C-alpha cells in the first residue's frame, strides 16, 4: 500500500491509532523513567551518598607500623602507592607521624610520666590554636618548637615559652630532645584523633605500657612539631600514617571502579615499594569498602528498577496486544479485500510494520519529554530530593535509546495480529482454553519460573558488580507465569457461569454469563488485568516488606531508640544528662569486641564477636528490634541480671571542709602503702572510679585527695555511691638482694567516707584478692562497714602473702556485694553454631586483658546493637562485678542507650547541646536505610510500577471494552427488537464486562499476594547484599492492597459504563439489517 | 388489528432528505396475513419498523391492538415488542452465542417464567417449527432455514398478537423459503396471529390474504 494510502488511513482512523499510541507512550514513558533512574539518577545518588559520607570513610591510607630508619623514603613510597591507586582523582595526602613514648620527668608524687612527639601535616585543619602559634621547622641546633594540647599544658602547668625534655626509653637515640612550647591547641572532633595514643585527650592518667607488664603511667601529649620534622630523625618513631583524601566530586562510575581496583592492587604495590626498607606497613582503605558498598547497594536498587521496567514493558505489550486486536478487527474487511485483490502476507506485514515504525517514531518523540517530566516529578518528591535526585537538563542518550528500543519492541507487537488469519466469529463454538494453555507454553513458563525462584532463594548475596540477573529475572518470570497459569481457571469459572445461567429465570445475568462463557475474546483482557493487578499488588507488597525490613534492621543495629557514645573517660552524672535530654529509659551500655578463647570462624571468615551489656532490668523499655518469636526482650533477658543482687552502697559526699576520704592503715611487718580506688555508681547504674594517692599504712589517718578519671577533683557537694574499693597495697621495702620472699604480713585498712552514715550498712560487704596472684596473695580477708562521724567507715583486714621477690604488690577488693563467679550470657545463633555452644555450656569472655567465665543461658537470633555479626548479650552490672573481681575496674560505659524516647531527633540535638555528640537514633538509621541516596530509587521505582500497572490496566481495559462492545452492536439492536428494555441490555453488557474484570482482578490479587509471600523475602537484601538481620517477613499491606484491588475493579468497570451506554443508545433499526460478523 | 393513518417518515434533511414514507395509511384486520411488496428502498422495512415501534414516524398515527404506538414512550414500546408484536428479521436476528433453545427462551425469560415451564415451552416451540432435536445447536451450526425457523419459534414464544417479518426468506433458497412461508401461514391460521410480511417472494405473495404494494414510500393499494 502506498504511503499516501497509509497516511489517509491513519487520518481516517486517527482516534483508533491515538488509543494505540497512548498505550505505547505509557509503556515507553515507564521505560524511559526507569532508564533515567538507572543512569542519571544512579550517578546523582552516588554523588549525594559520597557527599554525605564521613571524610574518614572516603580516605585511603598506609600505616607504617614498623618505621624503618629512613622514614622519609618509606613515607614517600607510601605516598606514591596511594597516588597511583587513586590515579583518576586528585588526592591530597596528609602525614601523621608519632614517636615512641618518652620520659617526661616525674609527677608530683614521684611517679614517672610519659610524653611523645607527633608531626601532623594538616594540623591547622585538625585542631584549633588556642594560644601562641603553630611551630616552625626546627633548625639544626636548639630546642624544637612544639604545640601541646591545652589540657595537657594545664595539667603540666606549662605554657608558651616553657621548655621540656623528652628522653627516649627505647630505640637507638638515648639523648633527650628539648622542645619549647610555642602554643597550645584544642583538637577538633575529628575521627583522625582516634589514632592518637591518647585519643586526642591530651592526658591519660594511667596509660598501659606498650610492651611488657609494667605499671601504667600518666601520659601527656602529643607535642606536635613541624610536619615532616620527625621523618628526618633516625629512629624513635612509633608509626607513620599516610592518608589520601581523593576529591570524588563528579566522579563517574567507571572512575570509581578504577579507584577500587587500584586500591585492591595497592597492597602488592606497597610491598614492592617498601622492598629492602625493613618496614612493616599495611594499606587501610575505608574508601575501598565504601565504594564496594556503593556498588552493591546500587546493584540491588538497580535490579529492582529493572524489574519494574521489565514488568511495565510486559504490561504495555499485553495492553498493546489488545489494542492490536482492536485494530485488526476494525480492519478485517479491508484486510480481506486486500488479500482478495492479491496482497500477500509479506506485503500486509510490511504495511503493518511501516505503520508500527511510524507509531514507534512518534511514540519516541512524545515519550522522551514525558519521561523527563515524569522523572522531574519523581525528583521533586521530598524523599527523592533529599536523596540528591535532580532532573537532567535535557534528554540523555540512555533515555533516548531505551525509549526508542522500547517503542520499536512494542511496535512489533502490532504487526502479528495485523496479518493473522481470521479465527471465526462468535458463532463458532471453540475450546474455552486459550492457545497458550492448549500449547502447554504456560506450564513450560511455570517451570522456568520455579527454577528462577529456587535460584533466588539459594542466592541471598548479591554481586558487587552491578545488576543482579537473578534478582531481576525471578520476579518477572514468576509474575508472568502466575498470571498465565491462573487463566487456566477461567474455563472452570466460565462453566460455572453457564450452569448458573441455565438455572436462572431471568435474562440479564444469564446474558452476561453466556457472553463471558462463550464469546471469543470476552476474556481477552483477562491476562492484562491479572498481570496488572498482580504487578500492582506485588509492588505494594514488596514496598511494605522492604520498608518494614529497613525499620527492623535499624532497630536491630541500634538496639534501642537512641544511642550516644559516652564521653571518655566516663564520669558520674553523664547518665543524668542523657536522661534529661531524651526523656526516656536510660541505661549505660558496653559494646565492644570480645574474645572467646579461640578464633571464631563463620563460613570461612574469622570474625570478632561483639559483646553488648546493658541494664537488663529495663530491657522491656530499652531494647528494640523484633524479639525472638513468641517472646519479649524483657522475658528473654530477665535472668541475665539475676546474679547481681541489689547493693545500696555507701554514700560519699564531698564536704566543703575536710577530706571526703580518710585512710588509716597499719601493717604488722614491713613498710606498706595503699592506694585506694573507689568504684562509684550513679543513679542509672553507670560506674566510674575515683582515684586517691598512695598513703602509708603507718597507723595514722591520712586524708586522700580524690580525682576523677580526668584528673580533676570532684566538686564540693558532689554525691557518689561507693559500691567497691580497690586497695593497691605496695610493699616499699621488698626483700634484699638475696631474693628471698618477704614475710607475710597482716594489713588493716580503714576508710572513712564522708556522707550519709546510714547508707550501705545493710549491704553484705565482701573482700577478696585478685585473680592474678603473680605479685601477692591475699588470704582470709575480712571487711565490715559501720557508721562513723559524718559518714561511714569501711574496715578491712587481711593477711598478705608475697609471691614474688622484689615485687611487693597485692590488691584487695572490697565490694558491697558478693562478686559473681560467672556471667550469664545469651549468644547469637550464628556465634553458638560457630563455637559449638548451647544453653548450659560455659564460655570464656575476654575483654581487653581480663577474662571472666560466661554461662550460656540461651540463644538469640541476633543481639540488639550487634546485629549482622556474632554477638553476646549480658547484664552490665553483672559483667562489671565479675570484671572487678579480676581487678579490672573498667567502668564498661561505652555509651548510653535510651528507649521510649518520644522525639529521637530532638533528643539527638539536645544531647549534642549537652556535650554528648554523635547520637544515633533508630529512626534516623531507618530513614537512611529507606531513603538514603542509594536506596531511594527502589521505592520510587515500585511506586512507578504500581502506577503504571493501574494506568495500563485502565487503558487496556478501555481499549478492549470498546472493541468488544462495538462488535456487539447488532446483537444489542436485536435484543432491543425483542423487547428487552434498554437498561436491561445495558446492565447485561456491563455485567459481562464487570464479571470478567472481577474474576481477573481477584485472580491477579491472588497471584500478587502469592508472589509477595514467596518473592519479597529473598528479594529484600541488606545494603551489603546479604540476608538482612533480622530476616525479613513478607508483609501484605491490606489497606493498600485492598485499595488497589477495589480501585482496579471499579476503574476498569467504570471505563466500560459510558461505552456500554453509548452502544445501547446508538443501537437502532439500522443494525437489524446487518448480519453476524464473519 | 393494525391501523396506520397518514404516516410520514423522512431521513436526513434538505436536498439529501430521503422520504421513506409519504402519507401512508393502512389497515390490517386481526388474523390477516398481509404481504408488503415493493422494490428495495421502497419503504417496506420502514413501514414495518414504524408499525412495530422500532421507529417513530414524523407524522401520522399507528395503532396496534388498540394501542397508539406513536404515543408510547420507550418503556411502552418495550412492552409492545415484548407482549404484542414479534419480529422476524431477514438476517434471522439470533443471538450468536446462545443455542437455539436459549434464543427461543429469551422472551420467556423476559416474562420471568419458571425454569421448568420455560424449558417445556421452548421444546414445544422448537417441535412446532420442526427443530425439536436441534435445541442445543448454535446459530453458526445451523443452516439459514433452520435459523429462520428458530427465529420464528422465538417470535412465537411470547404469544404475540402481531407478527412482523421483514423479508424472512430473503437469504434462503426457494425450497427453504417456501417451507418458512408455509410455517408463517400455518401459525397465522392456527394461532390466529396477525402477520405483516415484507417480501419479494411470489410464493409468499400467493400465500397472503392480501397484498399491498409499496413504491417510493407510498402504498399503491391498501
Amino acid at each position: 500500500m502506498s504511503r499516501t494510502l497509509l497516511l489517509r488511513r491513519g487520518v481516517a482512523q486517527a482516534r483508533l491509532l491515538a488509543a494505540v499510541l497512548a498505550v505505547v507512550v505509557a509503556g515507553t514513558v515507564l521505560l524511559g523513567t526507569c532508564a533515567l533512574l538507572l543512569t542519571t539518577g544512579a550517578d546523582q545518588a552516588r554523588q549525594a551518598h559520597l557527599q554525605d559520607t564521613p571524610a574518614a570513610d572516603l580516605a585511603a591510607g598506609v600505616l607504617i607500623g614498623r618505621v624503618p630508619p629512613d622514614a622519609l623514603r618509606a613515607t614517600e613510597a607510601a605516598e606514591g602507592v596511594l597516588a597511583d591507586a587513586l590515579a583518576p582523582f586528585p588526592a591530597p595526602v596528609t602525614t601523621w607521624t608519632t614517636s615512641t613514648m618518652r620520659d617526661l620527668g616525674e609527677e608530683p608524687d614521684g611517679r614517672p610520666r610519659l610524653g611523645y612527639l607527633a608531626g601532623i601535616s594538616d594540623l591547622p585543619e585538625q585542631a584549633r590554636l588556642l594560644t601562641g602559634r603553630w611551630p616552625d621547622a626546627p633548625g639544626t641546633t636548639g630546642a624544637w618548637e612544639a604545640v601541646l594540647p591545652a589540657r595537657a599544658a594545664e595539667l603540666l602547668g606549662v605554657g608558651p615559652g616553657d621548655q621540656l625534655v623528652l628522653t627516649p626509653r627505647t630505640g637507638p637515640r638515648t639523648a633527650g630532645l628539648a622542645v619549647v612550647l610555642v602554643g597550645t591547641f584544642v583538637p577538633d572532633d575529628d575521627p583522625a584523633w582516634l589514632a592518637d595514643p591518647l585519643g586526642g585527650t591530651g592526658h591519660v592518667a594511667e596509660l598501659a605500657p606498650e610492651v611488657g607488664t609494667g605499671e601504667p603511667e600518666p601520659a601527656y601529649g602529643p607535642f606536635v612539631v613541624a610536619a615532616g620534622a620527625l621523618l628526618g630523625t633516625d629512629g624513635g618513631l612509633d608509626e607513620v600514617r599516610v592518608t589520601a583524601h581523593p576529591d570524588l566530586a563528579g566522579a563517574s562510575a567507571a572512575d570509581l571502579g578504577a579507584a577500587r581496583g587500584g586500591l585492591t592492587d595497592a597492597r602488592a604495590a606497597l610491598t614492592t615499594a617498601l622492598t629492602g626498607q625493613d618496614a612493616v606497613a599495611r594499606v587501610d582503605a575505608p574508601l575501598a569498602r565504601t565504594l564496594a558498598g556503593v556498588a552493591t547497594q546500587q546493584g540491588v536498587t538497580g535490579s529492582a528498577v529493572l524489574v519494574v521496567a521489565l514488568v511495565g514493558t510486559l504490561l504495555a505489550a499485553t495492553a498493546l496486544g489488545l489494542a492490536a486486536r482492536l485494530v485488526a478487527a476494525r480492519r478485517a474487511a479491508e484486510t480481506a479485500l486486500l488479500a482478495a485483490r492479491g496482497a500477500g502476507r509479506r506485503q500486509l506485514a510490511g504495511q503493518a510494520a511501516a505503520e508500527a515504525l511510524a507509531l514507534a517514531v512518534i511514540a519516541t518523540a512524545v515519550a522522551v519529554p514525558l519521561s523527563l517530566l515524569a522523572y522531574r516529578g519523581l525528583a521533586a518528591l521530598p524523599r527523592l530530593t533529599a536523596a540528591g535526585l535532580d532532573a537532567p537538563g535535557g534528554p540523555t542518550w540512555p533515555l533516548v535509546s531505551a525509549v526508542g528500543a522500547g517503542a520499536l519492541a512494542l511496535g512489533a507487537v502490532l504487526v502479528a495480529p495485523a496479518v493473522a488469519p481470521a479465527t471465526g466469529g462468535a458463532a463458532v463454538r471453540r475450546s474455552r482454553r486459550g492457545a497458550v494453555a492448549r500449547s502447554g507454553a504456560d506450564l513450560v513458563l511455570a517451570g522456568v519460573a520455579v527454577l528462577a525462584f529456587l535460584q533466588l532463594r539459594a542466592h541471598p548475596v548479591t554481586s558487587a558488580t552491578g545488576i543482579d540477573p537473578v534478582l531481576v529475572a525471578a520476579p518477572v518470570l514468576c509474575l508472568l507465569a502466575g498470571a498465565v497459569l491462573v487463566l487456566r481457571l477461567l474455563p472452570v469459572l466460565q462453566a460455572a457461569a453457564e450452569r448458573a445461567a441455565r438455572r436462572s429465570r431471568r435474562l440479564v445475568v444469564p446474558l452476561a454469563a453466556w457472553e463471558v462463557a462463550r464469546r471469543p475474546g470476552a476474556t481477552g483482557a483477562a491476562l492484562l488485568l491479572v498481570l496488572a493487578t498482580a504487578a500492582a499488588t506485588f509492588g505494594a507488597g514488596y514496598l511494605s516488606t522492604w520498608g518494614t525490613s529497613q525499620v527492623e534492621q535499624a532497630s536491630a543495629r541500634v538496639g534501642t531508640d537512641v544511642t550516644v557514645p559516652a564521653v571518655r573517660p566516663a564520669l558520674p552524672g553523664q547518665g543524668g544528662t542523657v536522661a534529661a535530654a531524651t526523656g526516656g529509659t536510660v541505661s549505660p551500655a558496653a559494646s565492644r569486641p570480645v574474645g572467646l578463647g579461640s578464633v571464631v570462624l563463620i563460613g570461612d571468615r574469622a570474625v570478632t564477636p561483639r559483646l553488648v551489656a546493658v541494664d537488663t532490668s529495663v530491657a522491656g523499655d530499652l531494647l528494640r528490634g523484633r524479639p525472638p518469636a513468641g517472646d519479649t526482650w524483657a522475658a528473654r533477658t530477665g535472668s541475665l541480671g539475676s546474679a547481681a543482687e541489689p547493693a545500696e552502697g555507701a554514700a560519699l559526699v564531698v564536704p566543703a571542709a575536710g577530706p571526703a576520704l580518710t585512710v588509716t592503715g597499719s601493717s604488722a611487718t614491713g613498710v606498706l602503702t595503699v592506694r585506694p580506688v573507689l568504684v562509684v555508681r550513679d543513679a542509672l547504674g553507670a560506674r566510674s572510679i575515683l582515684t586517691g594517692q598512695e598513703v602509708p599504712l603507718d597507723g595514722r589517718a591520712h586524708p586522700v585527695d580524690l580525682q576523677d578519671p580526668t584528673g580533676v577533683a570532684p566538686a564540693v557537694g558532689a554525691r557518689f555511691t561507693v559500691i567497691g574499693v580497690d586497695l593497691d597495697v605496695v610493699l616499699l621495702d621488698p626483700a634484699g638482694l638475696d631474693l628471698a620472699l618477704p614475710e607475710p604480713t597482716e594489713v588493716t585498712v580503714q576508710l572513712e567516707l564522708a556522707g550519709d552514715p546510714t547508707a550501705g550498712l545493710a549491704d553484705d560487704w565482701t573482700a577478696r584478692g585478685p585473680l592474678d596472684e603473680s605479685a601477692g596473695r591475699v588470704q582470709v580477708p575480712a571487711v565490715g562497714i559501720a557508721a562513723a562521724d559524718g559518714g561511714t567507715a569501711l574496715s578491712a583486714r587481711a593477711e598478705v602473702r608475697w609471691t614474688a621477690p622484689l615485687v611487693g604488690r597485692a590488691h584487695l577488693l572490697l565490694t558491697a556485694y558478693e562478686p559473681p563467679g560467672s556471667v550469664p550470657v545469651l549468644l547469637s545463633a550464628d556465634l553458638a553454631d560457630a563455637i559449638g555452644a548451647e544453653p548450659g555450656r560455659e564460655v570464656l569472655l575476654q575483654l581487653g586483658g581480663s577474662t571472666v567465665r560466661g554461662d550460656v543461658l540461651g540463644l538469640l537470633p541476633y543481639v540488639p546493637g550487634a546485629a549482622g555479626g556474632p554477638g553476646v548479650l549480658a547484664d552490665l552490672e553483672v559483667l562489671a562485678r565479675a570484671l572487678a573481681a579480676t581487678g579490672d575496674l573498667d567502668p564498661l560505659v561505652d555509651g548510653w542507650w535510651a528507649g521510649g524516647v518520644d522525639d529521637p531527633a530532638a533528643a539527638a540535638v539536645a544531647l549534642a547541646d549537652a556535650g554528648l555528640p554523635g547520637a544515633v537514633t533508630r529512626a534516623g538509621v531507618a530513614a537512611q536505610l529507606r531513603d538514603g541516596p542509594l536506596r531511594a530509587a527502589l521505592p520510587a521505582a515500585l511506586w512507578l510500577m504500581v502506577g503504571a500497572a493501574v494506568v495500563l490496566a485502565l487503558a487496556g481495559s478501555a481499549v478492549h471494552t470498546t472493541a468488544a462492545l462495538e462488535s456487539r452492536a447488532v446483537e444489542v439492536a436485536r435484543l432491543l427488537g425483542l423487547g428487552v428494555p434498554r437498561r436491561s441490555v445495558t446492565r447485561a453488557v456491563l455485567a459481562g464486562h464487570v464479571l470478567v474484570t472481577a474474576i481477573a482482578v481477584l485472580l491477579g490479587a491472588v497471584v500478587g499476594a502469592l508472589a509477595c509471600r514467596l518473592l519479597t523475602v529473598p528479594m529484600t537484601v541488606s545494603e551489603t547484599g546479604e540476608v538482612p538481620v533480622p530476616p525479613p517477613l513478607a508483609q501484605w499491606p491490606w489497606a493498600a492492597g485492598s485499595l488497589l484491588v477495589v480501585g482496579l475493579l471499579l476503574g476498569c468497570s467504570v471505563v466500560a459504563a459510558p461505552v456500554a451506554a453509548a452502544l445501547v443508545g446508538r443501537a437502532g433499526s439500522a443494525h437489524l439489517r446487518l448480519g453476524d460478523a464473519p | 388489528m393494525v391501523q396506520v393513518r397518514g404516516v410520514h417518515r423522512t431521513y436526513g434533511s434538505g436536498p439529501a432528505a430521503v422520504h421513506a414514507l409519504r402519507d401512508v395509511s393502512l389497515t390490517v384486520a386481526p388474523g390477516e396475513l398481509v404481504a408488503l411488496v415493493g422494490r428495495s428502498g421502497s419503504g417496506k422495512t420502514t413501514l414495518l419498523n414504524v408499525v412495530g415501534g422500532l421507529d417513530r414516524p414524523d407524522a401520522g398515527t399507528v395503532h396496534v391492538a388498540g394501542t397508539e404506538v406513536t404515543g408510547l414512550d420507550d418503556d411502552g414500546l418495550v412492552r409492545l415488542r415484548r407482549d404484542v408484536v414479534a419480529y422476524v428479521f431477514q438476517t434471522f436476528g439470533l443471538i450468536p452465542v446462545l443455542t437455539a433453545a436459549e434464543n427461543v427462551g429469551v422472551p420467556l425469560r423476559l416474562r420471568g417464567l419458571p425454569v421448568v415451564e420455560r424449558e417445556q415451552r421452548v421444546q414445544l416451540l422448537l417441535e412446532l417449527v420442526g427443530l425439536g432435536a436441534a435445541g442445543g445447536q448454535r446459530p453458526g451450526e445451523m443452516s439459514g432455514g433452520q435459523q429462520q425457523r428458530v427465529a420464528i419459534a422465538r417470535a412465537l414464544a411470547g404469544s404475540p398478537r402481531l407478527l412482523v417479518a421483514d423479508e424472512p426468506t430473503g437469504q434462503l433458497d426457494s425450497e427453504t423459503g417456501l417451507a418458512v412461508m408455509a410455517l408463517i401461514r400455518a401459525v397465522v391460521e392456527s394461532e390466529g396471529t396477525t402477520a405483516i410480511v415484507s417480501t419479494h417472494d411470489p410464493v409468499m405473495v400467493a400465500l397472503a390474504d392480501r397484498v399491498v404494494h409499496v413504491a417510493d414510500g407510498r402504498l399503491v393499494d391498501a
Side-chain angles (χ1 to χ4, degrees):
Chain A
M1 180 182 285
S2 70
R3 279 198 297 270
T4 308
L5 287 175
L6 265 179
L7 195 60
R8 285 190 179 175
R9 184 176 70 178
V11 171
Q13 298 177 341
R15 284 176 60 180
L16 172 65
L17 293 177
V20 174
L21 183 65
V23 175
V24 178
V25 168
T28 48
V29 166
L30 176 65
L31 266 179
T33 310
C34 289
L36 285 172
L37 281 173
L38 285 171
T39 54
T40 305
D43 288 341
Q44 292 170 343
R46 186 169 46 244
Q47 279 302 310
H49 175 77
L50 291 176
Q51 277 177 11
D52 289 343
T53 301
D57 291 335
L58 296 178
V62 170
L63 173 64
I64 306 174
R66 186 169 78 198
V67 185
D70 191 349
L72 183 62
R73 184 167 152 234
T75 303
E76 288 171 347
E79 289 176 358
V81 166
L82 288 174
D84 289 341
L86 298 169
F89 306 105
V93 169
T94 59
T95 306
W96 194 310
T97 312
T98 310
S99 76
T100 54
M101 286 293 165
R102 304 180 177 203
D103 282 323
L104 185 63
E106 288 180 348
E107 293 281 87
D109 62 2
R111 286 189 301 153
R113 60 189 178 200
L114 301 170
Y116 62 102
L117 298 158
I120 304 172
S121 62
D122 59 341
L123 180 61
E125 281 80 47
Q126 304 281 2
R128 179 170 55 93
L129 188 68
L130 201 60
T131 62
R133 59 177 175 82
W134 298 118
D136 292 332
T140 52
T141 59
W144 284 22
E145 291 187 353
V147 290
L148 188 64
R151 179 162 172 263
E154 184 183 355
L155 291 172
L156 288 171
V158 295
D162 290 331
Q163 190 162 310
L164 301 96
V165 176
L166 291 102
T167 307
R169 286 185 174 182
T170 59
R173 291 170 59 107
T174 55
L177 177 70
V179 296
V180 57
L181 290 183
V182 296
T184 61
F185 66 90
V186 176
D188 288 340
D189 187 20
D190 193 296
W193 285 101
L194 292 175
D196 178 66
L198 304 187
T201 60
H203 167 68
V204 165
E206 293 193 345
L207 183 69
E210 292 169 343
V211 292
T213 56
E215 290 298 315
E217 294 168 312
Y220 300 83
F223 291 81
V224 184
V225 297
L230 286 178
L231 292 175
T233 61
D234 52 345
L237 295 182
D238 186 50
E239 69 176 33
V240 177
R241 191 179 293 268
V242 180
T243 308
H245 304 272
D247 180 4
L248 302 177
S252 68
D255 285 345
L256 290 174
R260 229 177 101 198
L263 290 171
T264 303
D265 298 335
R267 184 187 301 172
L270 182 66
T271 303
T272 305
L274 293 177
T275 302
Q277 293 196 45
D278 191 27
V280 174
R282 64 178 174 87
V283 174
D284 180 21
L287 175 63
R289 292 188 288 277
T290 301
L291 294 180
V294 168
T296 299
Q297 287 197 65
Q298 292 209 296
V300 173
T301 303
S303 301
V305 175
L306 205 50
V307 168
V308 170
L310 288 176
V311 171
T313 305
L314 270 178
L315 281 171
T318 308
L320 209 53
L322 289 176
R325 272 194 260 167
L326 167 66
V327 173
R330 286 278 186 90
R331 296 175 178 175
E334 171 194 323
T335 306
L337 176 63
L338 289 171
R341 293 290 301 270
R345 286 174 64 86
R346 192 175 288 184
Q347 280 179 295
L348 294 173
Q351 162 193 320
E355 189 175 61
L357 181 61
L359 280 174
V361 169
I362 298 172
T364 302
V366 172
V368 166
L370 284 181
S371 298
L372 281 170
L373 211 59
Y375 184 81
R376 194 163 285 143
L378 275 179
L381 294 173
R383 190 178 272 184
L384 291 179
T385 304
L389 261 62
D390 191 15
T396 62
W397 277 116
L399 166 63
V400 175
S401 305
V403 169
L408 282 174
L410 290 175
V413 175
L414 294 171
V415 176
V419 298
T423 54
V428 176
R429 197 189 299 250
R430 58 171 55 84
S431 168
R432 291 203 183 107
R433 291 172 69 204
V436 171
R438 288 197 301 274
S439 70
D442 56 342
L443 296 176
V444 173
L445 182 61
V448 174
V450 167
L451 286 175
F453 166 67
L454 292 174
Q455 183 73 6
L456 179 68
R457 269 213 328 194
H459 174 76
V461 179
T462 62
S463 70
T465 55
I467 304 291
D468 189 322
V470 177
L471 265 188
V472 174
V476 176
L477 284 172
C478 289
L479 279 175
L480 180 61
V484 172
L485 266 182
V486 295
L487 293 181
R488 281 180 173 251
L489 290 175
L490 281 181
V492 174
L493 297 169
Q494 287 169 326
E498 285 235 43
R499 286 194 295 273
R502 199 177 310 128
R503 287 195 297 268
S504 171
R505 288 172 58 166
R506 296 296 177 185
L507 181 62
V508 170
V509 172
L511 260 184
W514 281 320
E515 285 297 322
V516 170
R518 298 173 184 177
R519 179 173 292 276
T523 54
L527 176 60
L528 171 66
L529 291 176
V530 171
L531 189 58
T533 310
T537 52
F538 169 74
Y542 184 26
L543 199 58
S544 181
T545 301
W546 183 84
T548 302
S549 178
Q550 308 315 304
V551 173
E552 290 189 332
Q553 288 180 60
S555 298
R557 288 184 200 184
V558 181
T560 185
D561 288 340
V562 180
T563 66
V564 62
V567 173
R568 287 183 174 276
L571 294 179
Q574 212 172 88
T577 304
V578 175
T582 62
T585 302
V586 176
S587 165
S591 176
R592 53 184 65 182
V594 61
L596 298 178
S598 60
V599 173
V600 177
L601 288 174
I602 293 186
D604 54 359
R605 285 186 305 138
V607 294
T608 303
R610 176 160 285 272
L611 178 134
V612 172
V614 295
D615 179 0
T616 55
S617 69
V618 294
D621 295 327
L622 190 71
L623 298 182
R624 295 289 179 262
R626 193 197 311 155
D631 220 337
T632 63
W633 286 118
R636 188 57 81 95
T637 63
S639 53
L640 290 179
S642 58
E645 79 270 16
E648 187 184 1
L652 176 70
V653 179
V654 179
L661 173 67
T662 303
V663 173
T664 307
S666 63
S667 61
T669 58
V671 179
L672 281 79
T673 64
V674 68
R675 195 157 71 91
V677 176
L678 303 183
V679 180
V680 298
R681 184 191 67 199
D682 68 9
L684 290 169
R687 292 182 168 214
S688 184
I689 56 174
L690 295 174
T691 308
Q693 81 277 16
E694 217 169 318
V695 298
L697 297 178
D698 57 5
R700 294 195 301 229
H702 294 275
V704 174
D705 299 322
L706 293 172
Q707 291 182 337
D708 68 22
T710 64
V712 175
V716 170
R719 308 179 78 89
F720 304 93
T721 302
V722 179
I723 57 170
V725 181
D726 178 77
L727 296 173
D728 183 13
V729 181
V730 177
L731 178 64
L732 293 184
D733 54 354
L737 294 175
D738 61 0
L739 301 181
L741 286 175
E743 291 294 318
T745 184
E746 187 170 280
V747 171
T748 305
V749 178
Q750 178 168 292
L751 303 105
E752 291 176 24
L753 303 164
D756 180 357
T758 63
L761 297 184
D763 291 329
D764 185 15
W765 284 79
T766 62
R768 65 195 299 162
L771 294 179
D772 177 11
E773 299 178 330
S774 58
R777 184 183 306 139
V778 177
Q779 288 183 335
V780 199
V783 63
I785 186 169
D789 284 339
T792 48
L794 267 173
S795 304
R797 181 175 56 79
E799 182 183 68
V800 180
R801 290 183 177 273
W802 308 107
T803 56
L806 300 181
V807 178
R809 197 176 211 112
H811 281 268
L812 179 62
L813 180 69
L814 314 179
T815 55
Y817 49 82
E818 178 66 37
S822 62
V823 180
V825 293
L826 296 172
L827 304 184
S828 64
D830 55 351
L831 176 60
D833 280 343
I835 65 174
E838 56 189 16
R841 267 199 54 178
E842 190 178 278
V843 292
L844 288 179
L845 304 173
Q846 295 166 330
L847 288 159
S850 307
T851 301
V852 295
R853 282 180 19 232
D855 290 328
V856 179
L857 290 192
L859 306 183
L860 296 171
Y862 63 91
V863 170
V872 180
L873 183 64
D875 181 82
L876 185 67
E877 178 61 20
V878 174
L879 180 63
R881 291 185 181 186
L883 282 172
T886 70
D888 185 346
L889 301 181
D890 186 339
L892 288 181
V893 180
D894 298 320
W896 297 92
W897 286 23
V901 179
D902 292 332
D903 190 342
V909 172
L911 284 167
D913 291 342
L916 289 166
V920 174
T921 68
R922 181 170 65 104
V925 172
Q928 184 61 25
L929 290 177
R930 198 181 47 232
D931 304 330
L934 301 179
R935 321 298 294 292
L938 190 150
L942 289 175
W943 278 117
L944 259 184
M945 182 163 81
V946 172
V950 171
V951 167
L952 287 168
L954 292 176
S957 187
V959 166
H960 171 74
T961 303
T962 304
L965 295 186
E966 282 184 355
S967 68
R968 296 176 63 187
V970 171
E971 177 188 325
V972 166
R974 290 172 184 175
L975 287 170
L976 293 173
L978 289 175
V980 181
R982 278 188 194 274
R983 58 178 171 275
S984 296
V985 177
T986 306
R987 282 184 204 148
V989 167
L990 273 178
H993 173 77
V994 170
L995 191 58
V996 174
T997 301
I999 291 171
V1001 168
L1002 289 174
L1003 286 177
V1006 169
V1007 172
L1010 199 60
C1012 177
R1013 174 73 179 81
L1014 294 175
L1015 295 174
T1016 56
V1017 168
M1019 285 177 69
T1020 303
V1021 296
S1022 71
E1023 75 271 31
T1024 57
E1026 297 178 340
V1027 178
V1029 176
L1033 295 174
Q1035 303 286 326
W1036 176 253
W1038 285 102
S1042 303
L1043 200 64
L1044 276 171
V1045 169
V1046 171
L1048 279 168
L1049 198 56
L1050 286 178
C1052 294
S1053 301
V1054 163
V1055 297
V1059 178
L1063 171 72
V1064 174
R1066 278 199 310 265
S1069 54
H1071 290 98
L1072 297 175
R1073 295 173 178 267
L1074 302 175
D1076 295 319
Chain B
M1 180 66 195
V2 177
Q3 284 185 332
V4 178
R5 291 287 177 265
V7 164
H8 292 261
R9 183 70 173 104
T10 303
Y11 298 106
S13 61
V18 176
H19 301 283
L21 295 176
R22 308 171 199 247
D23 193 22
V24 170
S25 295
L26 171 69
T27 300
V28 179
E32 192 177 15
L33 173 57
V34 173
L36 288 182
V37 179
R39 293 196 300 187
S40 182
S42 61
K44 304 188 301 295
T45 300
T46 305
L47 177 58
L48 289 178
N49 289 343
V50 166
V51 167
L54 289 177
D55 201 356
R56 288 188 186 273
D58 299 315
T61 61
V62 177
H63 286 78
V64 174
T67 303
E68 188 189 343
V69 174
T70 44
L72 292 176
D73 58 9
D74 278 348
D75 287 342
L77 289 173
V78 163
R79 282 193 298 274
L80 182 79
R81 290 195 294 273
R82 190 182 64 205
D83 299 331
V84 180
V85 181
Y87 252 90
V88 176
F89 306 102
Q90 179 180 8
T91 56
F92 320 132
L94 298 178
I95 309 299
V97 298
L98 305 186
T99 62
E102 288 161 355
N103 265 288
V104 173
V106 169
L108 301 175
R109 286 176 180 268
L110 278 176
R111 295 180 175 200
L113 246 63
V115 175
V116 172
E117 191 178 329
R118 182 186 74 224
E119 289 178 349
Q120 285 174 348
R121 179 139 175 88
V122 164
Q123 185 61 30
L124 195 66
L125 286 165
L126 286 173
E127 287 171 357
L128 178 66
V129 299
L131 292 173
Q137 291 182 342
R138 291 205 203 160
E141 299 164 346
M142 297 176 155
S143 67
Q146 287 176 318
Q147 290 185 57
Q148 195 61 289
R149 280 190 271 169
V150 171
I152 292 171
R154 184 179 66 184
L156 297 176
S159 302
R161 296 178 64 182
L162 173 65
L163 181 68
V164 177
D166 189 0
E167 303 206 29
T169 61
Q171 298 199 0
L172 305 175
D173 59 83
S174 55
E175 186 179 338
T176 309
L178 176 62
V180 169
M181 295 307 294
L183 179 58
I184 294 176
R185 178 78 243 184
V187 166
V188 167
E189 288 180 356
S190 66
E191 304 289 323
T193 308
T194 307
I196 306 176
V197 180
S198 76
T199 182
H200 292 295
D201 193 333
V203 174
M204 190 68 238
V205 172
L207 290 173
D209 295 325
R210 182 156 58 100
V211 179
V212 174
H213 292 274
V214 184
D216 292 329
R218 297 180 200 277
L219 300 187
V220 175
D221 49 51

